[in-house]
């Protein structure tokens, strides 16, 4: 049944879009030739949408039981995409969602529509799609036709074409049909796509997102056609084969092959060596100056956001200068710098023999540089995590790919990552990797599992041994309370030191050393042979020595192993085996 765009529909849309991008990710990666042939557009769109979806889910959870208004839900969608945007394509998608949110959450954007009304009508949705396309064009320093921008504009034009009384489902379907037709025409507009025999990868992703919108509003199942379908339309309209005389690509493998052929011919000049992305807190005037400076440093410049928070994306040779420009403009953070590789990143280098897969690999989520180094020394591929910034499932899948192994053991090291890790494991299995998920709830359990890992024994036997070692390790963490709160150990005040044992608050103290000693005594009361301490930056060497001495003096025949967690690590982690 047709439905207007309310908060529930926005949540459904985000979930359906994430699913659609997940299914299309490999196909989109395979046809990615512009602006850089680095085969990551599908992955970047998926990770951006995953961040957006998580933000929408969080606002529903946080406002239970009443739930959010439409304005709150769509703002969460846009904000989640902004802070999680990856790559050129993800950054543009974030701006498209932000443009829609400006209309759907603004009580003056459409006549007679209140910003906190439960739903939006078809006319308002059409206006939102138009604002989205306009804002995306404005965010890109040098817009190019034949890209996702063209597809977004075509969707907006189709949505607003004489449908003043249409419901949201009909408007969404019109936008989807317009986007799909524009996608099929992209090889005619951008020569690099025509030579490669592919449609624009970012545009293909937007078609998937708009198909999800149709599904959320009308229940109709639509989606981009098979990988070669849009190109089929283009070649039929143009009377036959590709302009360069090669056979048309059939499927993702063929598209990847022809994309490589194209990129080899395109990359005759040297392109920038680095992709630089960061979030930036700055005012509008500073961002205007930043745009000018970054535009002179490189290309593929996209700056999205507003209201003091921005996401900056640029390709440059001097990554340091790009970051320095951000420092001068405001406060940059979550800085990501990616080296495109030796030679010209805007081309696919000469074919090289595929690297042989390792038999077995370990992928672990770790918080703190010191812990990351410890896990890496043990042979693990690490996924960094920060307080309040858990990794997305797509990041775990990417780590599994980097491990480049036939068999992978996945250590999430956090109870909250259980479902995320399970989704990543399922995705990796669909790609032919044998994955075992060991549900480690703390990094100290992961350390115990790594200690018994033997890559030469049978996979099942190794997983059983690692699981048993992790399960036999009790874990604790010390943290500082941010506010007054009820806990399982009583009421804590802001600034109190909390001792959490196996995930529950068991001790409330005022000093780190004394609280840690109480936690150690409680854990060792049930027995134990070894204590593992992972110290955060705030814990001094004197405290470390005090805790080691306490274990020696109070618990005979118990050994202590100490590690430094480094920046971003927890205050103190404790493991007892």
């Amino acid at each position: 049944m047709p439905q207007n765009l309310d908060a529930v529909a926005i949540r459904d849309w985000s979930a359906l879009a994430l699913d659609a991008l997940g299914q299309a990710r490999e196909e989109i990666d395979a046809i990615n030739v512009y602006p850089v042939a680095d085969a990551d557009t599908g992955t970047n769109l998926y990770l951006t949408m995953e961040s957006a979806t998580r933000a929408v889910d969080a606002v529903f959870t946080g406002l239970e039981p009443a739930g959010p208004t439409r304005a709150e839900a769509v703002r969460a969608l846009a904000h989640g995409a902004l802070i999680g945007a990856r790559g050129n394509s993800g950054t543009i998608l974030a701006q498209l969602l932000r443009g829609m949110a400006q209309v759907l959450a603004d009580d003056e954007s459409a006549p007679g529509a209140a910003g906190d009304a439960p739903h939006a009508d078809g006319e308002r949705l059409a206006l939102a799609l138009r604002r989205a396309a306009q804002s995306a064009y404005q965010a890109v320093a040098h817009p190019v036709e034949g890209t996702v921008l063209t597809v977004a504009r075509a969707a907006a034009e189709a949505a607003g074409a004489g449908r003043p009384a249409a419901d949201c489902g009909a408007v969404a379907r019109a936008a989807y049909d317009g986007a799909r037709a524009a996608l099929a025409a992209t090889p005619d507009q951008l020569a690099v796509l025509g030579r490669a025999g592919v449609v624009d990868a970012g545009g293909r992703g937007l078609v998937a997102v708009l198909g999800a919108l149709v599904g959320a509003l009308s229940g109709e199942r639509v989606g981009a056609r098979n990988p070669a379908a849009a190109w089929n339309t283009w070649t039929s309209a143009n009377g036959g084969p590709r302009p360069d005389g090669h056979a048309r690509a059939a499927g993702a493998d063929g598209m990847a092959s022809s994309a490589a052929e194209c990129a080899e011919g395109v990359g005759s000049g040297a392109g920038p060596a680095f992709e630089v992305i960061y979030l930036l807190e700055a005012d509008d005037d500073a961002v205007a100056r930043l745009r000018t400076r970054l535009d002179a440093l490189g290309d593929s410049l996209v700056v999205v956001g507003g209201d003091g928070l921005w996401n900056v994306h640029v390709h440059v040779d001097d990554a340091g200068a790009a970051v320095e420009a951000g420092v001068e403009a405001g406060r940059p953070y979550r800085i990501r710098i990616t080296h495109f590789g030796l030679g010209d990143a805007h081309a696919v280098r000469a074919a090289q023999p595929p690297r042989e897969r390792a038999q077995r690999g370990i992928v672990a989520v770790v918080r703190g540089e010191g812990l990351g180094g410890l896990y890496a020394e043990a042979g693990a591929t690490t996924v960094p995590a920060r307080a309040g910034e858990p990794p997305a499932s797509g990041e775990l899948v990417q780590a599994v790919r980097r491990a480049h192994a036939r068999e992978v053991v996945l250590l999430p090291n956090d109870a909250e990552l259980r479902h995320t890790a399970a989704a990543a494991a399922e995705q990796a299995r669909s790609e032919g990797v044998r994955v075992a998920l060991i549900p480690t709830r703390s990094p100290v359990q992961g350390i115990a599992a790594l200690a018994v890992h033997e890559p030469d024994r049978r996979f099942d036997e190794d997983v059983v041994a690692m699981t048993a070692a992790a399960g036999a390790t009790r874990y604790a963490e010390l943290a500082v309370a941010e506010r007054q709160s009820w806990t399982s150990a009583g009421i804590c005040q802001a600034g109190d030191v909390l001792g959490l044992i196996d995930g529950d608050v068991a001790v409330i103290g005022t000093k780190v050393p004394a609280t840690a000693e109480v936690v150690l005594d409680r854990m060792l009361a049930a027995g134990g042979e070894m204590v593992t301490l992972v110290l955060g930056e705030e814990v001094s060497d004197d405290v470390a020595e005090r805790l080691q001495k306490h274990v020696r003096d109070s618990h005979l025949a118990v050994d202590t192993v100490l590690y430094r967690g480094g920046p971003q690590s927890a205050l103190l982690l404790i493991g007892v085996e």
Side-chain angles (χ1 to χ4, degrees):
M1 175 176 288
Q3 175 182 342
N4 279 318
L5 191 57
D6 58 11
V8 173
I10 288 168
R11 181 177 61 180
D12 292 345
W13 175 32
S14 67
L16 289 171
L18 182 63
D19 182 65
L21 289 172
Q23 293 183 37
R25 182 192 57 76
E26 288 188 19
E27 172 203 328
I28 297 173
D29 282 346
I31 63 174
N32 173 201
V33 300
Y34 183 86
V36 178
D38 51 359
D40 66 355
T41 291
T43 299
N44 287 336
L45 287 169
Y46 179 85
L47 291 174
T48 302
M49 198 68 217
E50 186 173 44
S51 179
T53 301
R54 186 187 295 129
V56 174
D57 289 342
V59 78
F60 267 85
T61 301
L63 294 176
E64 288 180 342
T69 64
R70 183 197 73 241
E72 289 167 335
V74 76
R75 287 189 186 117
L77 180 76
H79 181 74
L82 176 66
I83 63 174
R86 300 295 184 93
N88 188 74
S89 55
T91 308
I92 292 174
L93 175 61
Q95 188 68 0
L96 288 167
L97 295 176
R98 176 177 171 80
M100 292 187 69
Q102 288 174 332
V103 172
L104 296 175
D106 182 357
D107 62 1
E108 294 180 355
S109 293
D116 58 355
H119 59 76
D121 59 18
E123 184 178 3
R124 193 155 216 234
L125 176 58
L127 180 60
L129 290 166
R130 188 170 73 200
R131 175 73 64 82
Q134 291 170 345
S135 62
Y137 268 92
Q138 292 167 358
V140 177
H142 302 285
V144 174
E145 297 302 329
T147 65
V148 62
L149 297 176
T150 306
V151 176
R153 185 179 61 199
E157 290 173 351
R163 297 179 179 83
D167 62 40
C168 280
V171 170
R173 180 61 201 236
Y176 169 76
D177 289 340
R180 194 173 62 175
L183 176 67
T186 55
D188 245 350
Q189 298 172 295
L190 197 56
V192 61
L193 301 179
R195 287 195 296 270
V198 297
V199 294
D200 179 66
R204 167 66 179 88
L206 180 57
V207 168
V209 172
L210 291 173
L213 180 60
V214 175
L217 292 173
S218 67
E220 181 183 2
R221 292 182 60 86
V222 300
R225 296 160 289 180
N226 65 68
W231 177 248
N232 290 350
T233 302
W234 186 82
T235 51
S236 297
N238 286 273
R242 276 172 31 185
D244 59 6
H246 289 287
R248 172 173 45 82
D253 290 342
M255 284 184 166
S257 171
S258 58
E261 295 169 8
C262 166
E264 287 169 359
V266 172
S268 56
F274 297 96
E275 178 184 60
V276 178
I277 306 175
Y278 50 79
L279 291 178
L280 178 69
E281 293 178 356
D283 60 37
D284 291 359
D285 291 340
V287 170
R289 293 190 296 270
L290 175 66
R291 288 179 192 268
T292 301
R293 181 168 177 185
L294 292 180
D295 192 29
L297 287 176
D299 60 28
S300 296
L301 174 61
V302 185
V303 181
V304 304
D307 301 320
L309 180 62
W310 309 82
N311 191 307
V312 179
H313 169 280
V314 67
H315 295 172
V316 293
D317 282 320
D318 189 344
V323 174
E324 180 184 345
V327 172
E328 292 180 1
R331 187 178 79 87
Y333 60 103
R334 291 199 199 177
I335 300 168
R336 297 188 188 95
I337 300 175
T338 303
H339 196 300
F340 286 127
L342 297 176
D344 181 11
H346 291 245
V348 174
R349 267 74 65 188
Q352 298 179 359
R355 180 164 60 95
E356 181 66 22
R357 283 184 179 272
Q359 181 59 35
R360 190 170 306 158
I362 306 291
V363 171
V365 179
V366 292
R367 179 180 160 195
E369 294 177 6
L371 269 181
L374 175 66
Y375 273 81
E377 287 177 11
T381 299
T382 61
V383 180
R386 299 179 179 84
E389 298 178 27
S393 65
E395 293 176 87
L396 300 186
V397 173
Q398 285 184 311
V400 171
R401 295 184 190 125
R402 291 201 310 273
H404 202 63
R406 297 181 182 90
E407 303 165 339
V408 170
V409 178
L410 181 56
L411 305 174
N413 292 337
D414 186 339
E416 298 298 323
L417 289 177
R418 182 176 68 256
H419 297 302
T420 299
E426 190 62 32
Q427 174 66 36
R429 292 183 189 114
S430 73
E431 298 176 7
V433 181
R434 188 180 184 188
V435 180
L437 170 60
I438 298 179
T440 49
R441 300 184 293 273
S442 168
V444 293
Q445 290 189 322
I447 291 172
L450 279 176
V452 301
H453 167 54
E454 292 185 14
D456 293 332
R457 65 183 162 196
R458 290 180 55 232
F459 185 62
D460 290 340
E461 293 177 355
D462 199 28
V463 170
V464 168
M466 294 176 72
T467 302
T473 302
R474 299 188 67 198
Y475 64 97
E477 177 179 348
L478 262 63
V480 177
E482 295 181 356
R483 58 185 177 275
Q484 185 185 61
S485 178
W486 285 92
T487 76
S488 52
I491 300 175
C492 70
Q493 305 296 327
D496 281 348
V497 179
L498 307 180
L500 294 86
I501 300 177
D502 294 337
D504 294 321
V505 176
V507 180
I508 299 175
T510 56
K511 300 293 183 181
V512 170
T515 306
E517 288 172 350
V518 174
V519 169
L520 283 165
D521 290 343
R522 291 198 183 184
M523 296 179 75
L524 289 168
E529 299 176 354
M530 176 176 287
V531 171
T532 300
L533 300 175
V534 181
L535 310 175
E537 281 190 306
E538 302 90 342
V539 179
S540 67
D541 291 339
D542 290 342
V543 172
E545 292 176 6
R546 172 174 166 173
L547 296 180
Q548 288 179 301
K549 184 177 185 301
H550 178 80
V551 173
R552 284 196 306 269
D553 294 346
S554 305
H555 306 278
L556 298 178
V558 176
D559 295 324
T560 304
V561 180
L562 187 146
Y563 302 107
R564 280 287 177 184
Q568 303 295 330
S569 67
L571 177 61
L572 175 64
L573 297 172
I574 302 173
V576 173
E577 301 175 50

